[in-house]
Amino acid sequence: MGLSLLSEITSAMQAIPNPEYRAEAYLAVSNQFNQNAAREDAVEYIEQAIHALAQLPKDLSTFWEHKVVKQIVKAGQHNQAEKLLAELLDRARANENLENRSHDLLDVSTTYAEIGLFDEAVQVAQTIEDEYQRVFRAFNEIVNCAIKHSEYQQVEDLLALIDPEWEQDVVLQEAAAAYAFYGQPERAFSLVQQISFPNGRYHTLRNIFLPRQKQSRDDVLCLLQEGEVYVASEIHLGVKAQALRIMSQPRMRLNQFDHARSLLLTSCSISRQSHTATGTRA
């Protein structure tokens, strides 16, 4: 970015009357500098953003302060980021409204996870009283961030902490789908096997085999191969039949019609076995 152009952009940002919009503009420029590894320049604009946010009420500035934290980390200022996050955590805990407090704690937990501080992310998430915000959002966001950054032990550590069973199933489903998305099919199906409820395994398999952009043929084949290994060990006949039907679809997208037909025929056979067994028990 040329100096004259940067000077013009800076002057234009300084003239923005609304401090929230001004902070947003400063953060956009700092992000560009961070992407170009120009950390000192990024810090300058982050400081301008912080100054602008100081003019806002705390309930309006909090959203942008989380973005500030992420830019500070990118600029290598980890101590400053942790200090600001600690302030945001104190503010969240002090919120007397249960719904707002849960939402604020979710934001803090998520930000900790996004900057790689997973222990802190989990500790904050565990204090969220609202079940939906804690399990479906905070825990799920933590496992997604951990898997994205290849911090696989963090996923195991979180799963070991979670109780009751339904909460663990929710996180297992999210983690399995994330492993599949990030090219770790063996890990994905290992977690599918741990899901307690058959319906949860079925929905997870559907998510794993959703068609995705930028997924190579080799990636799909690897996923299918691991999926068929998993199906061989699945003891629930209904889930086994559904899994085979699900896997027939990507086989057809790969023009492997004979293989797809074989999967569908096997699925139908297993479904008949399942119905017969159900009728016998009845």
Side-chain angles (χ1 to χ4, degrees), residues 139-201:
F139 287 164
N140 282 354
E141 185 62 32
I142 291 168
V143 297
N144 266 293
C145 287
I147 292 168
K148 179 180 180 181
H149 296 290
S150 302
E151 296 283 352
Y152 305 138
Q153 186 59 47
Q154 296 293 340
V155 178
E156 299 301 320
D157 292 346
L158 175 58
L159 286 168
L161 291 173
I162 297 175
D163 190 61
E165 189 175 57
W166 76 265
E167 290 191 10
Q168 189 172 79
D169 264 19
V170 169
V171 179
L172 282 167
Q173 290 176 54
E174 185 72 19
Y179 273 131
F181 181 82
Y182 288 109
Q184 296 288 327
E186 188 173 351
R187 292 178 185 273
F189 289 106
S190 174
L191 294 191
V192 173
Q193 291 177 321
Q194 298 177 46
I195 298 170
S196 302
F197 298 100
N199 198 45
R201 297 200 294 279

Side-chain angles (χ1 to χ4, degrees), residues 26 39 42 60 99 143 172 178 181 201 227 240 249 262 273:
Y26 284 131
R39 290 182 168 184
L60 291 179
E99 182 178 353
V143 297
L172 282 167
F181 181 82
R201 297 200 294 279
K240 187 188 287 279
Q249 296 171 18
S262 175
Q273 293 177 41

Side-chain angles (χ1 to χ4, degrees), residues 163-274:
D163 190 61
E165 189 175 57
W166 76 265
E167 290 191 10
Q168 189 172 79
D169 264 19
V170 169
V171 179
L172 282 167
Q173 290 176 54
E174 185 72 19
Y179 273 131
F181 181 82
Y182 288 109
Q184 296 288 327
E186 188 173 351
R187 292 178 185 273
F189 289 106
S190 174
L191 294 191
V192 173
Q193 291 177 321
Q194 298 177 46
I195 298 170
S196 302
F197 298 100
N199 198 45
R201 297 200 294 279
Y202 162 66
H203 285 292
T204 306
L205 290 167
R206 286 187 61 188
N207 288 334
I208 285 175
F209 285 105
L210 283 174
R212 294 185 176 90
Q213 292 182 345
K214 299 181 180 180
Q215 191 176 36
S216 71
R217 179 184 178 89
D218 287 344
D219 288 340
V220 177
L221 286 171
C222 185
L223 199 59
L224 285 165
Q225 288 166 3
E226 291 294 337
E228 291 185 17
V229 171
Y230 154 76
V231 168
S233 65
E234 174 59 66
I235 62 173
H236 190 282
L237 293 179
V239 175
K240 187 188 287 279
Q242 289 167 335
L244 290 167
R245 282 197 294 273
I246 289 168
M247 289 190 295
S248 72
Q249 296 171 18
R251 289 290 182 186
M252 285 188 279
R253 288 195 292 271
L254 294 172
N255 296 324
Q256 296 182 341
F257 299 111
D258 288 342
H259 199 146
R261 181 175 181 274
S262 175
L263 292 175
L264 288 170
L265 289 173
T266 306
S267 173
C268 290
S269 175
I270 292 171
S271 291
R272 285 194 293 269
Q273 293 177 41
S274 177

Side-chain angles (χ1 to χ4, degrees), residues 24-70:
E24 181 180 10
Y26 284 131
L27 287 172
V29 174
S30 71
N31 183 55
Q32 189 62 50
F33 277 123
N34 273 325
Q35 288 181 352
N36 294 332
R39 290 182 168 184
E40 291 184 5
D41 293 316
V43 168
E44 179 182 343
Y45 284 89
I46 291 168
E47 290 173 350
Q48 293 290 344
I50 293 172
H51 179 73
L53 291 174
Q55 301 172 45
L56 292 174
K58 292 301 183 185
D59 60 336
L60 291 179
S61 68
T62 298
F63 171 82
W64 295 105
E65 285 173 296
H66 283 282
K67 293 187 177 294
V68 166
V69 168
K70 295 167 193 176

Side-chain angles (χ1 to χ4, degrees), residues 91-93 95-110 124-125 127-134 137-138:
R91 195 185 307 166
R93 287 171 171 163
N95 197 321
E96 296 180 357
N97 181 285
L98 173 60
E99 182 178 353
N100 291 341
R101 183 168 65 249
S102 292
H103 183 78
D104 290 348
L105 288 170
L106 166 67
D107 287 342
V108 173
S109 174
T110 299
V124 174
T127 68
I128 299 173
E129 296 168 73
D130 182 280
E131 285 184 346
Y132 175 78
Q133 301 284 9
R134 183 180 67 253
R137 299 196 63 190

